[in-house]
Amino acid sequence: MNELTNVFTGVFTALVTPFDDDGIDYPAFDRLVESQIEAGVKGLVPVGTTGEAATLSKNEAAALVARTVALARGRAFVLAGAGSNNTTQAVEAARACEAAGADGCLVVTPYYNRPSQQGLERHYDAVARGTGLPIMLYSVPGRCGVEIAADTAARLAERHRNIIGIKEAGGRAERISDLRDACGPDFILHSGDDALTLPFLSVGAIGVTSVLSNYAPREMVDLVAAWHRGDRARALALHDRLFALSKAMFIESNPVPVKEALALDRQMAGTVRAPLAPLAPASRSTLVAALERFAGAKK
């Protein structure tokens, strides 16, 4: 068994980055991290897509990773985002995460470049050689235009002991079976789609790297825990309760909807950085309806 299997069995939260007029709203970030740990999440993922990594400066990214490590104090695994479409910069980001005390790196496929599978291997080879941290691959073709093939993941894991798993966000449950077949049962598989968490668990994923858990961490933790203890009815009931809200969180580009949900809950401002824009009125109405349905289902 992979020594990190127990660590990754559960919910990792892809943390939003709260902003205010002066930059990053660190008090709001601190409150968010503490609420996640209190809810029982197993991992914290700063500086990822949900954290608007593409619009953070290097100094901001480094400060967020270091702050997450300090706040976690060993109570949660810190899987820091270290993605770039420039391989040299991805290596530098992974090294910076290691220097900041992160426990591992989440490395997304290069976006915009649309590399071949050979290009992906060269990219991940360089990152894996550049850091001693465990690396979780991140395949999200809807954003990056390229998918990590199952046999590519298998070759990378065979060559590099620190490539330990993948966050799979391609929207197809059969990918989990393809990855298990190619990479073996010890390769860690996480759902990257909240609405597909239960289907992915049913075919071999062990957890989820979640956007929704920023807003509903206890329910996401409960869903995954229910599945793993064999309470299928409870897991399905939670899936049903969360399903509409899961979809609403992606009615526009992540993290716009989840930040609006957190703002409506008065946890932070809903501010996003350009080129993202505030949630459109029609989308906001859909989100509010999903939030009200979720709140009503909890009663």
Side-chain angles (χ1 to χ4, degrees):
M1 178 182 289
N2 189 313
E3 62 184 13
L4 290 174
T5 296
N6 288 337
V7 173
F8 280 83
T9 299
V11 176
F12 278 45
T13 297
L15 297 166
V16 302
T17 301
F19 297 119
D20 58 22
D21 292 339
D22 297 320
I24 296 173
D25 183 351
Y26 285 109
F29 183 78
D30 295 355
R31 292 192 298 270
L32 175 67
V33 169
E34 193 61 36
S35 71
Q36 296 297 311
I37 294 171
E38 288 178 358
V41 303
K42 299 290 286 293
L44 301 166
V45 188
V47 195
T49 304
T50 309
E52 296 174 75
T55 63
L56 297 173
S57 70
K58 287 184 178 180
N59 287 341
E60 287 175 327
L64 280 167
V65 174
R67 197 174 191 95
T68 306
V69 170
L71 291 165
R73 300 194 306 277
R75 295 177 294 164
F77 190 96
V78 178
L79 183 71
S84 174
N85 68 334
N86 178 319
T87 299
T88 299
Q89 290 180 5
V91 173
E92 291 173 354
R95 289 173 174 164
C97 291
E98 187 169 8
D103 300 304
C105 290
L106 179 68
V107 183
V108 72
T109 52
Y111 36 87
Y112 184 75
N113 312 67
R114 299 188 69 180
S116 65
Q117 294 300 307
Q118 182 183 11
L120 288 176
E121 289 192 47
R122 293 180 66 191
H123 180 79
Y124 284 111
D125 282 341
V127 178
R129 288 193 299 265
T131 179
L133 290 178
I135 293 169
M136 178 163 261
L137 310 176
Y138 180 15
S139 183
V140 54
R143 279 187 180 265
C144 297
V146 61
E147 181 175 74
I148 302 173
D151 57 354
T152 299
R155 286 192 294 271
L156 287 168
E158 185 176 359
R159 283 202 297 273
H160 305 286
R161 292 187 61 188
N162 59 334
I163 293 182
I164 51 90
I166 189 168
K167 175 186 175 184
E168 172 52 40
R172 297 183 294 115
E174 61 264 32
R175 274 275 291 173
I176 298 299
S177 295
D178 286 340
L179 287 161
R180 280 174 57 82
D181 183 55
C183 302
D186 291 341
F187 193 67
I188 293 167
L189 303 173
H190 258 213
S191 172
D193 296 295
D194 282 306
L196 293 177
T197 299
L198 185 57
F200 277 33
L201 291 171
S202 73
V203 290
I206 63 171
V208 56
T209 302
S210 173
V211 173
L212 179 56
S213 58
N214 281 279
Y215 183 83
R218 294 188 188 280
E219 290 80 4
M220 289 301 296
V221 167
D222 194 2
L223 188 160
V224 178
W227 172 265
H228 283 299
R229 69 173 179 266
D231 190 347
R232 305 301 191 242
R234 175 68 174 164
L236 181 58
L238 284 159
H239 167 83
D240 290 344
R241 183 192 301 174
L242 290 162
F243 184 65
L245 187 55
S246 297
K247 293 198 297 181
M249 289 297 173
F250 293 89
I251 194 168
E252 291 187 17
S253 293
N254 175 47
V256 177
V258 71
K259 290 186 98 172
E260 181 66 18
L262 291 165
L264 289 167
D265 202 40
R266 299 185 178 181
Q267 295 188 43
M268 62 183 65
T271 307
V272 292
R273 282 183 172 172
L276 296 179
L279 204 61
S283 298
R284 190 177 187 275
S285 296
T286 299
L287 175 64
V288 168
L291 290 168
E292 290 174 347
R293 178 178 172 183
F294 171 71
K298 291 201 295 185
K299 294 177 181 177

